[in-house]
Amino acid sequence: MKQHEIAEQFAHMADLLEYRGDNPFRVRAYRRAAQTLEQLPGDLAAMAVEQKLRSIPGIGEDLAQKIQEYLVTGSLAALERLKAQVPPVVPELLNIPGIGPKTAKVLTDKLRLKTVEDLAAAARAHKLQKLPGFQAKKEENILKALALVQQGQERMDLWTAWCLGQELTTWLDQVPGVTRTSIAGSLRRMRETVGDLDVLAAAKQPARVIERFRTSPFAGRVLAAGGTKASVITPQGVQVDLRVVAPESFGAALQYFTGSKEHNVRLREQASRQGLKINEYGVFQVKTGKRIAGREEADIYKALGLPWMAPELREDSGELDAAAAGTLPKLVDMKDIRGDFHVHTNASDGRDTFEVMARAGKEQGYDYLALCEHSPSLRIANGLSVPRLRERLNAIKAFNARSKSYRLLAGAEVDILADGKMDYPDSVLAELDFVVGSIHSGFTQPEAQITKRLIAAMRNPYVTIIGHPTGRLLGQRPPYAMDVAAVLKEAKDTGTALEMNAAPQRLDLTDTMARQARQAGVMLAICTDSHSKEQLGYMTLGVGRARRAWLQSSDLLNCMTLKRLTTWINRKRQRAST
DNA sequence: GCCGTTTTCGGCCCGACTGTTTTCAGTCG
């Protein structure tokens, strides 16, 4: 996973070069390379060995060499040289909204800042408004931005963003004059966390909608507001950007505000090669200025000779080439999902009862639902002893006797113990329909040991899937160390699926790892890890994340009919017994 | 620094809003 380190180095390079007023396109090249490496689905070190670095888009002669240099030496001489010339506070300054390279230059040159705290002190002492190009307003804005950075640096979890997005579009739909609305930005692309929420509306008189918005309950504080766009901070501290366009431009604006930025840059470059210009109002012929598309998002792509592509794919990670070649995947969709596998009740650490959860699964329209309580060694979660597990099996039998089209699966989330053994004996596991094997202890073990545990679990014939395979908790706990390639190979060889845990604090596997798993021929399963009936709604997030991983219904256990699923599970069990 | 239907040099996406400006630079997305 060296690519993340190198991505960080390149992003740092970009910041420092930008501060120095270097060629902006050079800066962009570093930024783009950083972004590409961040989401590279393959193994960078292996690509380096195979001399394939140059095949990564945005990596040329020079950057390939820098990657090699970092892989060998663990640092970049060019970056170290730059760091020696630029005040260390600069990257942090550039992180403050409203401060770009020019402002940072003035601040560091004139004030000799060492830390961001120095900046705050200088602003409070009104030293900023004496600087060239500064006045009271700018000083005030920097102070506000500093406060914002301190309190709300962290991004929203995806579920919070999703729910707020629904609220916003529902409200907008009722504003007079609004004909269409949509979520845009990173939420529409289903990134794992969301910074600002982007919302779009179509109306003939945009200014009126903006006026309603800036006086709405969503607008705790107005950051900026013009005739067509407004940025506010909600009372909960979330920044919402609303953009209102004419109906004939709605598709173009939706395409534009969904991003990603990198995807849009590539798309516009392609457009200009075709004598076309794209902006948020439409696609135009450069020569005549004639608008040839704008009302529908699909028309924007069509004007460039491309098929519409799902927002989740728009990360400039190969989707434009795939679209041109006609090889875009047919992505999994909510309607393909036939069941959920990793669901708790109040028998262990869930909130709702067996009956409530069982019914909630049916109300989701599922064919099946695997109830999986914790195993005994997870005392804190009230893990089920074998007798309690047997009671559960009886309850499920009784339920299924009354239910035809919808079935409960007898499952368990079984701890993979520190030595790699499962927390129930095989004879007990054999009584279950579905087993989630999860690591809940020993997170800090060395890579070799964690990998060994996971491999031992996958070799157990009764383990159907590995739960939250990397163990990370967003913003709280890093993934544990493991040999990803070895785990993927074992999953493929043993016929064990890997979970895409859809709980917003987990989202584990990540999209890039899931894409890698798919490429390795590994089966995946989207699970909500629900601890209440509302959390079954996380499936929407899980499907979005799976789409970001380019997954199709054929890659997912949840899209199988119950019959095929049973066959799939039994195949592993039978293979082990022969 | 990358890249090629303007192919090995000369381009590189585009517009809104703000603040300090009197015509625009800086920043953002």
Side-chain angles (χ1 to χ4, degrees), chain A residues 341-344 348-349 371-378 381 383-384 389 411-416 422-424 429 432 434-440 465-468 499 501 506 529-531:
Chain A
F341 297 124
H342 181 170
V343 171
H344 299 271
S348 62
D349 62 348
L371 293 176
C372 292
E373 310 295 357
H374 288 287
S375 59
S377 67
L378 208 60
L384 266 55
L389 181 64
E413 183 182 15
V414 184
D415 267 45
I416 303 168
M422 302 304 293
D423 199 18
Y424 289 125
L429 296 180
L432 299 170
F434 198 97
V435 174
V436 181
S438 299
I439 287 184
H440 289 121
I465 74 172
I466 297 294
H468 39 75
E499 182 179 59
N501 191 298
R506 290 193 182 273
D529 200 351
S530 288
H531 288 72

Side-chain angles (χ1 to χ4, degrees), chain A residues 135-152:
Chain A
Q135 284 194 19
K137 188 77 187 176
K138 193 155 178 172
E139 182 175 85
E140 198 185 314
N141 284 346
I142 285 179
L143 268 175
K144 278 187 190 163
L146 278 169
L148 216 63
V149 168
Q150 273 163 8
Q151 50 148 298

Side-chain angles (χ1 to χ4, degrees), chain A residues 344 351-352 356-357 360 363-364 530-537:
Chain A
H344 299 271
R351 188 198 68 192
D352 291 320
V356 166
M357 292 307 281
E363 283 160 9
Q364 291 280 320
S530 288
H531 288 72
S532 69
K533 68 175 196 291
E534 292 80 12
Q535 292 179 358
L536 290 172

